[in-house]
C-alpha cells in the first residue's frame, strides 16, 4: 500500500473536490474548477495552437526502480564508474505509479528508462500495460524498437540521442522514425544546457553537447517531424533550485506544437511562473519536489492545480 500523502491546501488549489485521504495513492474527483489565461504574443501562423497548461507526470526508471536522479550527474558507465546523485528511490513499482496517474486522469506523462538494462525495460513495459495509451516512453528508442513500445501500449515514443548523433542532427534517422511510427506518435526530447549564452541540445545522458541550438527556426523545422517536444532544463533539473524562466519563455514564444518543460519546479508558485512565462502554451512536469518522490510539494495540490486549467483555443 502507498503511504498517505500530504495535502495541505495552497492559495492556488481548491481541494474541496478531492477524495478523502486513505492509506494508499488516491484519485481526484472528476469535477473541474476552471480558470483561464489568455494567449498573447502569437504570430498568425500559430493561431490554431491550443493555449492551455497541463501537468504531465513522470516515471523515471533506473535499474528497474522508480527513482529521481539529478540528470546532470548521470554518466555513461563506459566512461565513468561514478554513481549518479539520487534524490529518491521508491519501493513502489512503475506500474503502481502508472495506475495512480490513470486514476487521476493525467495523460501525456512520460516513462524514461535511464539505462537500457533489462530490469528497466521490464518495469517500463509493466507501466505501459497498466495505463495503455496514457504514457509516452523514452530511453534507448530507435527505429528498430520504437514500434514495439507502441504495440506495448505507449501513446508516443520519445527520442533524443538516436536523432542527434555525434553532436549533429541525423535527418535520415529522424525520417526513418517517422516512417516507422508516424509523426503523430513521435516526441523529440530537446533537453538542453546553456552554452555561450544559448541553449544547446544535449544527448547521451545529457553529457554531450550538440551543435544544434534551440531557437524559433529549429523548432519550426523539427515540428514537421514530431507531434510534441519534451525539454528538460538540464542546468536546473533535479536540483530544486527554481525553474529556468528564460527557457520556458523561449518555448512558449517559438514552439509551434505542444511542448512540455521539466526542471527546477520547487513550489506551487513555480507552476504559475511557467504558465505566465510560457504564455499559457507550455506544459509542466514535476519530479523530485513532489511528496510521492520524497519532496515537500503535495502531489494532490498539483493535481488540483491541473484540474483548474482550462483548455483555451484561439
Amino acid at each position: 500500500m502507498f503511504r498517505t500523502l500530504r495535502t495541505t491546501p495552497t492559495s492556488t488549489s481548491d481541494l474541496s473536490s478531492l477524495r478523502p485521504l486513505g492509506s494508499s495513492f488516491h484519485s481526484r474527483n472528476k469535477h473541474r474548477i476552471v480558470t483561464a489565461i489568455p494567449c498573447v504574443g502569437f504570430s498568425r501562423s500559430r493561431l490554431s495552437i491550443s493555449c492551455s497548461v497541463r501537468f504531465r507526470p513522470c516515471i523515471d526508471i533506473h535499474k528497474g526502480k522508480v527513482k529521481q536522479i539529478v540528470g546532470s550527474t548521470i554518466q555513461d558507465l563506459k566512461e565513468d564508474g561514478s554513481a549518479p546523485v539520487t534524490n529518491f528511490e521508491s519501493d513502489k513499482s512503475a506500474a503502481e505509479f502508472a495506475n495512480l496517474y490513470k486514476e487521476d486522469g493525467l495523460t501525456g506523462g512520460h516513462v524514461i528508462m535511464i539505462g537500457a538494462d533489462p530490469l528497466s525495460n521490464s518495469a517500463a513495459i509493466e507501466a505501459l500495460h497498466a495505463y495503455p495509451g496514457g504514457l509516452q516512453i523514452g530511453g534507448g528508442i530507435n527505429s528498430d524498437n520504437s514500434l514495439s513500445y507502441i504495440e506495448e501500449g505507449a501513446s508516443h515514443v520519445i527520442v533524443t540521442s538516436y536523432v542527434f548523433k555525434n553532436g549533429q542532427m541525423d535527418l535520415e534517422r529522424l525520417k526513418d522514425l517517422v516512417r516507422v511510427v508516424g509523426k503523430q506518435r513521435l516526441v523529440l526530447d530537446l533537453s538542453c544546457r546553456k552554452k555561450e549564452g544559448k541553449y544547446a541540445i544535449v544527448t547521451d545522458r545529457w553529457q554531450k553537447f550538440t551543435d544544434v541550438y534551440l531557437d524559433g527556426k529549429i523548432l519550426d523545422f523539427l515540428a514537421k517531424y514530431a507531434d510534441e517536444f519534451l525539454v528538460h532544463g538540464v542546468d536546473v533539473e533535479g536540483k530544486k533550485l527554481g525553474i529556468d524562466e528564460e527557457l520556458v519563455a523561449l518555448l512558449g514564444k517559438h514552439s509551434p506544437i505542444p511542448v512540455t518543460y521539466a526542471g527546477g519546479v520547487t513550489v506551487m508558485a513555480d507552476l504559475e511562473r511557467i504558465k505566465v512565462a510560457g504564455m499559457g502554451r507550455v506544459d509542466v512536469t514535476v519530479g523530485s519536489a513532489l511528496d510521492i518522490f520524497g519532496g515537500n510539494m503535495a502531489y494532490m495540490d498539483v493535481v488540483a492545480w491541473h484540474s483548474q486549467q482550462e483548455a483555451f483555443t484561439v
Side-chain angles (χ1 to χ4, degrees):
M1 299 293 286
F2 287 100
R3 60 182 173 80
T4 300
L5 303 184
R6 296 183 294 276
T7 57
T8 303
T10 71
S11 60
T12 57
S13 299
D14 182 345
L15 301 184
S16 62
S17 64
L18 299 181
R19 296 178 184 175
L21 289 179
S23 59
S24 64
F25 271 165
H26 45 276
S27 62
R28 61 177 171 82
N29 189 295
K30 301 305 179 185
H31 296 295
R32 294 168 62 91
I33 300 172
V34 176
T35 58
I37 179 173
C39 291
V40 294
F42 296 108
S43 66
R44 183 173 299 274
S45 64
R46 293 185 173 88
L47 289 179
S48 63
I49 299 301
S50 174
C51 177
S52 63
V53 183
R54 293 192 295 158
F55 166 54
R56 303 284 198 106
C58 64
I59 305 173
D60 294 345
I61 305 172
H62 182 244
K63 296 184 177 179
K65 298 290 186 179
V66 175
K67 299 181 182 180
Q68 286 293 309
I69 292 174
V70 179
S72 59
T73 69
I74 300 171
Q75 301 285 338
D76 190 328
L77 294 179
K78 293 182 295 183
E79 301 174 0
D80 190 323
S82 61
V85 175
T86 300
N87 285 332
F88 176 78
E89 178 174 338
S90 179
D91 59 354
K92 313 307 175 190
S93 70
E96 288 174 284
F97 281 95
N99 274 317
L100 171 68
Y101 302 152
K102 180 180 179 180
E103 290 171 3
D104 285 333
L106 301 171
T107 59
H110 56 265
V111 178
I112 301 296
M113 298 176 287
I114 305 171
D117 61 281
L119 287 176
S120 294
N121 185 71
S122 177
I125 290 176
E126 288 177 3
L128 297 180
H129 290 174
Y131 192 5
L135 296 167
Q136 305 167 356
I137 189 167
I141 304 296
N142 55 51
S143 58
D144 292 329
N145 64 18
S146 56
L147 188 58
S148 68
Y149 288 108
I150 298 297
E151 293 170 344
E152 294 288 356
S155 66
H156 297 70
V157 290
I158 305 169
V159 180
T160 306
S161 298
Y162 182 71
V163 170
F164 297 93
K165 196 69 175 176
N166 298 320
Q168 297 181 325
M169 179 166 54
D170 190 325
L171 187 56
E172 289 307 309
R173 284 189 169 190
L174 179 55
K175 290 179 178 179
D176 281 344
L177 280 166
V178 173
R179 280 192 288 267
V180 172
V181 298
K183 174 184 183 294
Q184 73 279 8
R185 291 190 179 275
L186 182 60
V187 176
L188 287 178
D189 184 340
L190 307 181
S191 296
C192 56
R193 304 176 77 171
K194 261 293 186 67
K195 182 180 181 182
E196 298 176 353
K198 298 185 293 183
Y199 289 100
I201 296 172
V202 289
T203 67
D204 300 288
R205 300 171 179 84
W206 299 342
Q207 299 304 306
K208 297 180 181 179
F209 284 93
T210 71
D211 62 2
V212 182
Y213 293 86
L214 287 188
D215 57 24
K217 184 177 180 180
I218 195 66
L219 290 172
D220 279 340
F221 176 78
L222 292 175
K224 299 174 184 177
Y225 300 95
D227 194 46
E228 297 183 7
F229 297 137
L230 171 64
V231 182
H232 291 79
V234 178
D235 292 322
V236 298
E237 195 276 337
K239 299 176 182 178
K240 294 182 282 189
L241 297 175
I243 66 169
D244 188 334
E245 289 192 46
E246 181 183 351
L247 176 56
V248 173
L250 184 156
L251 298 173
K253 181 178 180 180
H254 292 296
S255 180
I257 60 176
V259 57
T260 299
Y261 167 84
V265 173
T266 304
V267 294
M268 291 297 297
D270 286 332
L271 303 181
E272 292 297 317
R273 292 187 184 100
I274 289 170
K275 183 164 70 173
V276 173
M279 297 183 291
R281 302 179 67 243
V282 179
D283 289 346
V284 57
T285 290
V286 187
S288 296
L290 290 178
D291 56 1
I292 60 173
F293 296 129
N296 296 318
M297 195 171 170
Y299 165 78
M300 289 307 297
D301 280 2
V302 178
V303 173
W305 177 87
H306 168 85
S307 74
Q308 294 173 342
Q309 310 310 306
E310 180 184 40
F312 182 78
T313 304
V314 292

